[in-house]
Amino acid sequence: VSSTFPVAPETEDEGKTPQLVESYLQNFYDLQRGSHPHLRSHGENRLVAKLKEMQSFFGLQVTGKPDADTLEMMKKPRCGVPDIGQ
Amino acid sequence: YVFTAGNPKWKRNNLTYRILNYTPKMRKADVDEAIRKALSVWSNVTPLTFQRVEDKEADIMISFAYRDHRDNSPFDGPNGQLAHAFQPGEGIGGDVHIDEEEAWTKDGRGYNLFIVVAHELGHSLGLSHSSDPGALMYPAYSYTDPNEFLLPQDDIDGIQAIYGKSNAAVQPTGPITPEACDPNLTFDSITTLRGEIFFFKGRYMLRKHPARTETELNFISLFWPTLPSGIQAAYENIEKDEILLFKEDKYWVVRGYDIAPGYPKPIYRLGFPKTVKRVNAAYSDETTGKTYFFVADRYWRYDEKKKSMDHGYPRKIVSDFGKIGRVDAAFWKDGYVYFFHGTTQFKFDPRAKQIVGQMESISWFNC
């Protein structure tokens, strides 16, 4: 059973996921642009830390991974003001 | 609710606003009305007042903008970011920018301008995003019928923490977002639908899929924008793969996942007498093809094959179902009927004609 109806989501375009995740976290969760988010600092890479922050804010399961529920939330139309920071 | 970092606020309660331009997608009068109504959402619960000005600088300048509009926050075309606003302050402070490329409307199509501007004005007044999914200041868009809109309690608490309470004699209150594991949670109605269970509460529905441990909370309007909030009764006709939803003297049919055309219809089409003004609860027994409607302390029985009420009804609930009191909500699953009265749930065996269990109302949510 599709957990999101009435229209089943379009087929996932795997190629776009990383770009979607990174730009969402840059726009709304203060992920520094161009700061090599995948490099480790303080034991966890910044992108995973920011992703967890976003999942926690939206009450999603905090996995640190761009799972289906997280991507669904990122695709929702929304306000342009960041959720954290200025 | 969350304050914007640094707790910015306006030093005055009498603020001004100005509409700098309009979208061709809506009549000017409808844009004016949407913005006026959005401002009243906040002035109704605080001492704030908003006066419209023309041809001069206002505290809150409202405009439709396109892509890069020289504020370091370019819009991104249709969908995605719908609008943004700036925290209280001079110059651009308090201003609201609306993405011109969105499908702005005054109803449930596209994006409702009133809802989006009301949200942005929360930023203009010093609020940040709330993590309460029912709050107006929640970052993701969700449609609510403007005629039914009530500012949620989370937003009232936030804005009053900044500007104080309203001057009204009676303080306004707002809806609270239901939480699945709240022991005081009661339900307006409940139905099964293709193996899932839907619990209706106000403008929300809590959705429980048998294969998922967590419960999903959604607005009813997310799936069925034309349905009202406060569904009072609901049941599934498994044979016909449809659910019927009742409010006051009307009912809707959802066939599959879509609302069937030609609804709502009067409940009297089902055979209720005109003295019945609303239905409290309903369930349908898949094994007998009989549907039971509960109204106050009585119930009717409907034959789904004959499409008519059975003779000899209404009967007293207590005489056939025992001491379950008034029924708020009910549903049939795997041969048992589950009756909900306040925070109490009764498990009833229709074959043995007796109550075989009593649980909390939230027992289905793995709390």
Side-chain angles (χ1 to χ4, degrees), chain B residues 230-252:
Chain B
I231 300 294
Q232 293 163 333
Y235 76 89
E236 179 178 25
N237 183 325
I238 294 173
E239 195 169 321
K240 292 173 77 175
D241 189 24
E242 57 186 33
I243 59 175
L244 284 77
L245 301 135
F246 297 75
K247 182 171 185 178
E248 308 303 340
D249 60 355
K250 297 184 187 62
Y251 76 100
W252 291 256

mmCIF file of all heavy atoms in Angstrom, chain B residues 230-252:
data_model
loop_
_atom_site.group_PDB
_atom_site.id
_atom_site.type_symbol
_atom_site.label_atom_id
_atom_site.label_comp_id
_atom_site.label_asym_id
_atom_site.label_seq_id
_atom_site.Cartn_x
_atom_site.Cartn_y
_atom_site.Cartn_z
ATOM 1 N N GLY B 230 -13.482 17.889 11.392
ATOM 2 C CA GLY B 230 -14.518 17.444 12.342
ATOM 3 C C GLY B 230 -15.443 16.397 11.769
ATOM 4 O O GLY B 230 -16.669 16.514 11.871
ATOM 5 N N ILE B 231 -14.913 15.359 11.120
ATOM 6 C CA ILE B 231 -15.739 14.252 10.590
ATOM 7 C C ILE B 231 -16.328 13.532 11.809
ATOM 8 O O ILE B 231 -15.593 13.135 12.713
ATOM 9 C CB ILE B 231 -14.861 13.269 9.767
ATOM 10 C CG1 ILE B 231 -14.212 14.011 8.603
ATOM 11 C CG2 ILE B 231 -15.688 12.091 9.295
ATOM 12 C CD1 ILE B 231 -15.182 14.518 7.567
ATOM 13 N N GLN B 232 -17.661 13.343 11.801
ATOM 14 C CA GLN B 232 -18.339 12.857 13.021
ATOM 15 C C GLN B 232 -18.545 11.354 13.032
ATOM 16 O O GLN B 232 -18.737 10.748 14.088
ATOM 17 C CB GLN B 232 -19.669 13.573 13.188
ATOM 18 C CG GLN B 232 -19.467 15.053 13.486
ATOM 19 C CD GLN B 232 -20.715 15.873 13.271
ATOM 20 O OE1 GLN B 232 -21.576 15.544 12.483
ATOM 21 N NE2 GLN B 232 -20.783 16.992 13.978
ATOM 22 N N ALA B 233 -18.598 10.750 11.824
ATOM 23 C CA ALA B 233 -18.774 9.291 11.759
ATOM 24 C C ALA B 233 -18.156 8.810 10.462
ATOM 25 O O ALA B 233 -18.065 9.568 9.486
ATOM 26 C CB ALA B 233 -20.255 8.925 11.842
ATOM 27 N N ALA B 234 -17.709 7.566 10.446
ATOM 28 C CA ALA B 234 -17.085 7.033 9.218
ATOM 29 C C ALA B 234 -17.120 5.504 9.298
ATOM 30 O O ALA B 234 -17.055 4.931 10.379
ATOM 31 C CB ALA B 234 -15.640 7.502 9.122
ATOM 32 N N TYR B 235 -17.287 4.864 8.129
ATOM 33 C CA TYR B 235 -17.175 3.402 8.105
ATOM 34 C C TYR B 235 -16.740 2.954 6.727
ATOM 35 O O TYR B 235 -16.864 3.685 5.738
ATOM 36 C CB TYR B 235 -18.502 2.737 8.504
ATOM 37 C CG TYR B 235 -19.600 2.731 7.470
ATOM 38 C CD1 TYR B 235 -19.704 1.690 6.540
ATOM 39 C CD2 TYR B 235 -20.549 3.751 7.412
ATOM 40 C CE1 TYR B 235 -20.728 1.672 5.597
ATOM 41 C CE2 TYR B 235 -21.565 3.738 6.472
ATOM 42 C CZ TYR B 235 -21.660 2.694 5.579
ATOM 43 O OH TYR B 235 -22.688 2.692 4.642
ATOM 44 N N GLU B 236 -16.182 1.729 6.687
ATOM 45 C CA GLU B 236 -15.721 1.181 5.407
ATOM 46 C C GLU B 236 -16.692 0.119 4.943
ATOM 47 O O GLU B 236 -17.062 -0.774 5.728
ATOM 48 C CB GLU B 236 -14.325 0.557 5.538
ATOM 49 C CG GLU B 236 -13.815 -0.039 4.223
ATOM 50 C CD GLU B 236 -12.410 -0.619 4.310
ATOM 51 O OE1 GLU B 236 -12.009 -0.996 5.425
ATOM 52 O OE2 GLU B 236 -11.715 -0.675 3.267
ATOM 53 N N ASN B 237 -17.098 0.206 3.672
ATOM 54 C CA ASN B 237 -17.843 -0.867 3.032
ATOM 55 C C ASN B 237 -16.817 -1.650 2.240
ATOM 56 O O ASN B 237 -16.443 -1.266 1.143
ATOM 57 C CB ASN B 237 -18.920 -0.296 2.105
ATOM 58 C CG ASN B 237 -19.756 -1.429 1.488
ATOM 59 O OD1 ASN B 237 -19.217 -2.509 1.211
ATOM 60 N ND2 ASN B 237 -21.028 -1.182 1.294
ATOM 61 N N ILE B 238 -16.316 -2.716 2.871
ATOM 62 C CA ILE B 238 -15.151 -3.412 2.298
ATOM 63 C C ILE B 238 -15.498 -4.003 0.946
ATOM 64 O O ILE B 238 -14.737 -3.944 -0.007
ATOM 65 C CB ILE B 238 -14.677 -4.510 3.284
ATOM 66 C CG1 ILE B 238 -14.151 -3.831 4.558
ATOM 67 C CG2 ILE B 238 -13.633 -5.411 2.658
ATOM 68 C CD1 ILE B 238 -13.817 -4.785 5.686
ATOM 69 N N GLU B 239 -16.750 -4.522 0.826
ATOM 70 C CA GLU B 239 -17.145 -5.153 -0.443
ATOM 71 C C GLU B 239 -17.093 -4.168 -1.596
ATOM 72 O O GLU B 239 -16.662 -4.478 -2.699
ATOM 73 C CB GLU B 239 -18.563 -5.714 -0.305
ATOM 74 C CG GLU B 239 -18.926 -6.682 -1.428
ATOM 75 C CD GLU B 239 -20.227 -7.427 -1.124
ATOM 76 O OE1 GLU B 239 -20.415 -7.781 0.054
ATOM 77 O OE2 GLU B 239 -21.040 -7.570 -2.061
ATOM 78 N N LYS B 240 -17.489 -2.928 -1.325
ATOM 79 C CA LYS B 240 -17.538 -1.935 -2.415
ATOM 80 C C LYS B 240 -16.256 -1.109 -2.463
ATOM 81 O O LYS B 240 -16.137 -0.191 -3.282
ATOM 82 C CB LYS B 240 -18.742 -1.006 -2.214
ATOM 83 C CG LYS B 240 -20.083 -1.740 -2.401
ATOM 84 C CD LYS B 240 -21.239 -0.835 -2.027
ATOM 85 C CE LYS B 240 -21.551 0.193 -3.081
ATOM 86 N NZ LYS B 240 -22.771 0.975 -2.709
ATOM 87 N N ASP B 241 -15.284 -1.423 -1.528
ATOM 88 C CA ASP B 241 -14.000 -0.681 -1.503
ATOM 89 C C ASP B 241 -14.244 0.821 -1.398
ATOM 90 O O ASP B 241 -13.711 1.622 -2.163
ATOM 91 C CB ASP B 241 -13.173 -1.007 -2.746
ATOM 92 C CG ASP B 241 -11.760 -0.422 -2.625
ATOM 93 O OD1 ASP B 241 -11.311 -0.207 -1.462
ATOM 94 O OD2 ASP B 241 -11.134 -0.155 -3.662
ATOM 95 N N GLU B 242 -15.120 1.186 -0.483
ATOM 96 C CA GLU B 242 -15.336 2.621 -0.297
ATOM 97 C C GLU B 242 -15.550 2.904 1.174
ATOM 98 O O GLU B 242 -15.888 2.022 1.962
ATOM 99 C CB GLU B 242 -16.539 3.104 -1.107
ATOM 100 C CG GLU B 242 -17.836 2.402 -0.816
ATOM 101 C CD GLU B 242 -18.973 2.829 -1.751
ATOM 102 O OE1 GLU B 242 -18.705 3.136 -2.933
ATOM 103 O OE2 GLU B 242 -20.100 2.859 -1.277
ATOM 104 N N ILE B 243 -15.307 4.159 1.579
ATOM 105 C CA ILE B 243 -15.645 4.567 2.929
ATOM 106 C C ILE B 243 -16.667 5.685 2.853
ATOM 107 O O ILE B 243 -16.706 6.438 1.862
ATOM 108 C CB ILE B 243 -14.408 5.021 3.745
ATOM 109 C CG1 ILE B 243 -13.698 6.186 3.077
ATOM 110 C CG2 ILE B 243 -13.475 3.888 4.015
ATOM 111 C CD1 ILE B 243 -12.547 6.743 3.933
ATOM 112 N N LEU B 244 -17.537 5.756 3.847
ATOM 113 C CA LEU B 244 -18.521 6.825 3.942
ATOM 114 C C LEU B 244 -18.174 7.668 5.153
ATOM 115 O O LEU B 244 -17.825 7.130 6.217
ATOM 116 C CB LEU B 244 -19.941 6.255 4.089
ATOM 117 C CG LEU B 244 -20.569 5.695 2.795
ATOM 118 C CD1 LEU B 244 -19.987 4.318 2.451
ATOM 119 C CD2 LEU B 244 -22.090 5.624 2.917
ATOM 120 N N LEU B 245 -18.226 8.990 4.947
ATOM 121 C CA LEU B 245 -17.845 9.933 5.997
ATOM 122 C C LEU B 245 -18.999 10.875 6.242
ATOM 123 O O LEU B 245 -19.610 11.372 5.285
ATOM 124 C CB LEU B 245 -16.607 10.700 5.562
ATOM 125 C CG LEU B 245 -15.393 9.805 5.251
ATOM 126 C CD1 LEU B 245 -14.730 10.234 3.961
ATOM 127 C CD2 LEU B 245 -14.389 9.835 6.388
ATOM 128 N N PHE B 246 -19.284 11.122 7.527
ATOM 129 C CA PHE B 246 -20.482 11.883 7.903
ATOM 130 C C PHE B 246 -20.123 13.121 8.705
ATOM 131 O O PHE B 246 -19.253 13.082 9.560
ATOM 132 C CB PHE B 246 -21.409 11.012 8.753
ATOM 133 C CG PHE B 246 -21.946 9.806 8.042
ATOM 134 C CD1 PHE B 246 -21.121 8.703 7.810
ATOM 135 C CD2 PHE B 246 -23.255 9.760 7.610
ATOM 136 C CE1 PHE B 246 -21.607 7.582 7.148
ATOM 137 C CE2 PHE B 246 -23.746 8.646 6.954
ATOM 138 C CZ PHE B 246 -22.927 7.566 6.715
ATOM 139 N N LYS B 247 -20.819 14.227 8.391
ATOM 140 C CA LYS B 247 -20.739 15.407 9.241
ATOM 141 C C LYS B 247 -22.082 16.120 9.167
ATOM 142 O O LYS B 247 -22.585 16.378 8.074
ATOM 143 C CB LYS B 247 -19.634 16.370 8.822
ATOM 144 C CG LYS B 247 -19.563 17.565 9.774
ATOM 145 C CD LYS B 247 -18.367 18.463 9.563
ATOM 146 C CE LYS B 247 -18.308 19.555 10.624
ATOM 147 N NZ LYS B 247 -17.121 20.431 10.488
ATOM 148 N N GLU B 248 -22.643 16.387 10.368
ATOM 149 C CA GLU B 248 -24.012 16.968 10.450
ATOM 150 C C GLU B 248 -24.950 16.119 9.614
ATOM 151 O O GLU B 248 -24.905 14.900 9.696
ATOM 152 C CB GLU B 248 -23.995 18.430 9.987
ATOM 153 C CG GLU B 248 -22.959 19.309 10.658
ATOM 154 C CD GLU B 248 -23.092 19.348 12.181
ATOM 155 O OE1 GLU B 248 -24.176 19.027 12.709
ATOM 156 O OE2 GLU B 248 -22.095 19.636 12.857
ATOM 157 N N ASP B 249 -25.739 16.729 8.752
ATOM 158 C CA ASP B 249 -26.757 15.941 8.031
ATOM 159 C C ASP B 249 -26.290 15.581 6.613
ATOM 160 O O ASP B 249 -27.110 15.388 5.715
ATOM 161 C CB ASP B 249 -28.067 16.746 7.984
ATOM 162 C CG ASP B 249 -27.887 18.083 7.271
ATOM 163 O OD1 ASP B 249 -26.729 18.409 6.915
ATOM 164 O OD2 ASP B 249 -28.887 18.780 7.068
ATOM 165 N N LYS B 250 -24.953 15.539 6.425
ATOM 166 C CA LYS B 250 -24.440 15.203 5.085
ATOM 167 C C LYS B 250 -23.446 14.039 5.178
ATOM 168 O O LYS B 250 -22.854 13.809 6.231
ATOM 169 C CB LYS B 250 -23.716 16.405 4.497
ATOM 170 C CG LYS B 250 -24.578 17.632 4.256
ATOM 171 C CD LYS B 250 -23.747 18.713 3.565
ATOM 172 C CE LYS B 250 -24.497 20.011 3.462
ATOM 173 N NZ LYS B 250 -24.818 20.539 4.829
ATOM 174 N N TYR B 251 -23.248 13.339 4.027
ATOM 175 C CA TYR B 251 -22.217 12.313 3.997
ATOM 176 C C TYR B 251 -21.541 12.307 2.637
ATOM 177 O O TYR B 251 -22.137 12.710 1.629
ATOM 178 C CB TYR B 251 -22.793 10.934 4.358
ATOM 179 C CG TYR B 251 -23.601 10.247 3.273
ATOM 180 C CD1 TYR B 251 -23.037 9.249 2.484
ATOM 181 C CD2 TYR B 251 -24.933 10.598 3.037
ATOM 182 C CE1 TYR B 251 -23.775 8.603 1.500
ATOM 183 C CE2 TYR B 251 -25.673 9.971 2.062
ATOM 184 C CZ TYR B 251 -25.089 8.968 1.293
ATOM 185 O OH TYR B 251 -25.820 8.354 0.320
ATOM 186 N N TRP B 252 -20.284 11.875 2.658
ATOM 187 C CA TRP B 252 -19.456 11.794 1.464
ATOM 188 C C TRP B 252 -19.088 10.330 1.245
ATOM 189 O O TRP B 252 -19.006 9.559 2.211
ATOM 190 C CB TRP B 252 -18.162 12.595 1.643
ATOM 191 C CG TRP B 252 -18.295 14.083 1.707
ATOM 192 C CD1 TRP B 252 -17.995 14.978 0.729
ATOM 193 C CD2 TRP B 252 -18.762 14.855 2.837
ATOM 194 N NE1 TRP B 252 -18.222 16.262 1.172
ATOM 195 C CE2 TRP B 252 -18.720 16.212 2.447
ATOM 196 C CE3 TRP B 252 -19.227 14.528 4.091
ATOM 197 C CZ2 TRP B 252 -19.105 17.240 3.309
ATOM 198 C CZ3 TRP B 252 -19.619 15.535 4.956
ATOM 199 C CH2 TRP B 252 -19.552 16.886 4.556
#
